[in-house]
Amino acid sequence: MRRFGLRTKLVALALAAAALPVLAFLSLTAAGRRSASREIAAELDAVARMNLGQYVRDLYSACGTIDALLAPRLWQGHSQLQRTLREAGGLTWDGPLTRWEVAGTPGGLVAASQVRLGGRPLSGARSFDVPEPAVDALARDAGILATIYQRLNERGDMLAVASSVPADDGSRLTGSLLPAATADGSPEPSVAGALAGSGRRAMARFGGRMYLTSTEPLRDESGRVAGMALAAVGGRELDGLYRSIVETKVGERGYFAILGAKGRQRGTYFVSRAGTRDGDDIWDMRDADGRPFVREMIGAALRREPGTIRHNRYSWRNPDDPEAWTRVVADTYFKPWDWYVNAGTNESDFLGARTRTEAAFDRILRHAAFGGAVAFLLAGAIALLLARRLARPLLVLLEETGRLGSGDLRGATVPPPLPARSRDETRLLSHSFGSMAAAFASLVRQVQRSGIQVVASSTRIAASARQLEDSVAHQAAT
């Protein structure tokens, strides 16, 4: 700083004084933005979890209420079906071998002993135009659909030999195969339960509709499990629940996703977004990061106590989405229906307030930066003017000091008096210096005058001395 002049130092000081508060404000605002963003994100994440959890709890409660209403009808259906079978003479499982056309089996055929009711073979009809008395009476009298399965082998594969349940093509479910094991070798829960002598309740899809089903074992005269009875209620009765789930908006763009959790329906959509993927199997699907999230989340839900809610995040992209997005979900397992229930939405739906807050801070930063730049320029201009005004008298003083130092006393006159109330230190300093210079010049002039007088006196004395010397010399000569 020693290399710079007073004017430069004054301007630099003023600019620093203007810039430092602006920089401090910008720094504090930026730090506040980061802190506020973190706090808001944490708060909104908590709110999102709470809201999503509430969606899941509400649906869980609604399903529980509906299950409580429908479950007695399933018990009634099984009881009425057993009574119908007994009154018709009972089922026998040792008739002659018959061949069934079953899709997906080697050769498309399955051989099984003929099942008879009261000594008469079941019709095995696949068309609803052909009566099947063993199950049609229950559907007609109680509105409960039923299927009778025959056990094909020791493993427990089941063949539907009589059914009032609709298949996807609109025909009866008769002739469909229910393997005892799924594709990966795990047991089919309904078959495993029947073979163990117990029943199982679950939600299933038949003919494009949801049905609450229940299975019970059917035994032959020796007590061996020879088959399985399935009762189903719902269909149109569950359409209202289905529409309610599909039409529920979770957040701004979220939705419910409900999948089967076990057996052949594991990972299969019961309810998808807008119903566009109902029936699709997404068990092996991976998210945008390659994570098998469906397996992970359903597995975790099954390991927890049923009804326990957990929160997850995964990168997701629907077929019509332009890019992947982070889906925030709350999920649980509804055991009575074997449903994995998932309510989720785009993370940005709940973090909109965070984005808006960050945008507000950004606007403050931009405005502050603009205001700081304007203040900096104004401060620079004002500082330049003031520096000139302050430095000019000092530069004059410097010039006067140099002139006095060189012995030039011209112009060193007493300055005019200052106003009585003047508080301008620079003017006071200049006035004092002017008075001092005038006094010094006056003193020098007095010294000069005194020197001249001394020189004149010395000259007169010298003249008198020469006259005296001449007189002495003359007298000596005479």
Side-chain angles (χ1 to χ4, degrees):
M1 291 295 289
R2 294 180 180 179
R3 294 178 296 173
F4 300 106
L6 177 62
R7 183 183 302 172
T8 303
K9 292 178 181 178
L10 290 173
V11 173
L13 180 63
L15 292 177
L20 288 176
V22 174
L23 293 175
F25 176 78
L26 292 176
S27 299
L28 291 174
T29 303
R33 176 190 183 278
R34 291 190 295 270
S35 177
S37 179
R38 287 193 298 269
E39 293 178 6
I40 291 172
E43 186 66 25
L44 290 175
D45 184 68
V47 172
R49 287 170 174 264
M50 181 180 67
N51 289 343
L52 292 173
Q54 191 59 50
Y55 277 108
V56 173
R57 277 188 289 271
D58 290 345
L59 180 57
Y60 191 95
S61 177
C63 291
T65 301
I66 295 173
D67 182 69
L69 295 173
L70 295 181
R73 292 188 58 199
L74 291 174
W75 301 329
Q76 174 195 352
H78 280 291
S79 177
Q80 191 167 336
L81 178 62
Q82 292 286 357
R83 185 170 62 251
T84 299
L85 295 177
R86 284 196 306 271
E87 291 175 351
L91 293 171
T92 56
W93 310 87
D94 55 356
L97 283 179
T98 58
R99 294 186 180 277
W100 293 81
E101 292 182 3
V102 178
T105 59
L109 296 174
V110 169
S113 298
Q114 189 180 68
V115 180
R116 298 183 179 189
L117 176 61
R120 294 181 178 182
L122 298 176
S123 72
R126 297 189 179 184
S127 171
F128 281 98
D129 295 331
V130 179
E132 184 65 82
V135 292
D136 286 348
L138 182 62
R140 182 181 61 251
D141 299 339
I144 300 173
L145 306 183
T147 299
I148 296 174
Y149 286 95
Q150 178 185 7
R151 181 177 179 179
L152 295 177
N153 47 43
E154 287 302 315
R155 186 173 59 180
D157 295 336
M158 298 285 181
L159 175 68
V161 293
S163 179
S164 59
V165 176
D168 291 341
D169 60 3
S171 64
R172 296 178 186 267
L173 200 62
T174 304
S176 63
L177 183 68
L178 180 59
T182 61
D184 64 356
S186 60
E188 170 60 41
S190 58
V191 175
L195 295 177
S198 61
R200 177 179 183 263
R201 196 162 75 250
M203 190 66 72
R205 289 184 63 85
F206 298 118
R209 280 196 166 101
M210 295 191 305
Y211 291 84
L212 182 59
T213 66
S214 175
T215 54
E216 295 287 345
L218 294 174
R219 300 179 184 274
D220 60 17
E221 293 180 353
S222 66
R224 173 181 176 272
V225 175
M228 179 177 73
L230 176 144
V233 295
R236 289 186 177 87
E237 298 172 82
L238 290 175
D239 285 350
L241 173 64
Y242 175 82
R243 286 194 300 270
S244 176
I245 296 173
V246 169
E247 292 170 2
T248 297
K249 208 172 183 182
V250 179
E252 294 182 19
R253 292 172 288 175
Y255 53 90
F256 279 107
I258 299 177
L259 301 95
K262 297 178 182 177
R264 70 188 187 283
Q265 298 186 134
R266 181 184 61 182
T268 299
Y269 268 122
F270 276 91
V271 182
S272 60
R273 187 181 68 168
T276 56
R277 303 192 66 181
D278 293 354
D280 287 358
D281 182 359
I282 62 168
W283 175 251
D284 293 320
M285 182 171 286
R286 296 176 179 268
D287 65 9
D289 299 323
R291 169 189 164 206
F293 68 100
V294 178
R295 292 188 177 204
E296 291 180 3
M297 293 193 300
I298 292 180
L302 290 174
R303 289 190 294 271
R304 300 194 303 268
E305 186 72 20
T308 304
I309 295 174
R310 182 185 174 187
H311 297 85
N312 286 287
R313 276 183 170 82
Y314 56 88
S315 182
W316 180 248
R317 182 175 182 176
N318 287 304
D320 56 345
D321 290 332
E323 59 184 3
W325 45 278
T326 300
R327 192 164 193 258
V328 185
V329 302
D331 60 11
T332 192
Y333 175 58
F334 186 64
K335 186 175 181 179
W337 295 358
D338 189 38
W339 264 12
Y340 167 75
V341 179
N342 169 316
T345 187
N346 193 320
E347 185 179 47
S348 63
D349 291 351
F350 285 102
L351 297 184
R354 173 186 177 184
T355 304
R356 289 190 293 272
T357 301
E358 291 178 347
F361 270 105
D362 290 339
R363 286 194 297 272
I364 292 173
L365 285 171
R366 288 195 298 271
H367 294 163
F370 178 76
V374 172
F376 186 79
L377 293 175
L378 288 175
I382 294 172
L384 186 60
L385 293 174
L386 291 177
R388 288 179 178 177
R389 186 169 181 179
L390 290 172
R392 188 180 298 114
L394 296 177
L395 293 175
V396 171
L397 279 177
L398 183 62
E399 183 180 351
E400 291 292 326
T401 303
R403 193 158 49 80
L404 288 176
S406 64
D408 185 359
L409 300 179
R410 292 173 299 174
T413 59
V414 178
L418 290 173
R421 296 185 178 181
S422 176
R423 293 291 184 269
D424 189 340
E425 289 82 358
T426 305
R427 293 184 64 185
L428 290 173
L429 177 61
S430 180
H431 186 273
S432 298
F433 183 83
S435 299
M436 182 191 70
F440 181 72
S442 176
L443 178 61
V444 170
R445 283 193 291 271
Q446 290 178 6
V447 171
Q448 286 177 342
R449 285 196 296 272
S450 298
I452 292 171
Q453 292 174 358
V454 169
V455 170
S457 298
S458 298
T459 301
R460 287 195 296 272
I461 291 172
S464 298
R466 283 195 296 274
Q467 289 177 0
L468 180 58
E469 182 182 358
D470 290 341
S471 297
V472 171
H474 179 72
Q475 289 177 0
T478 54

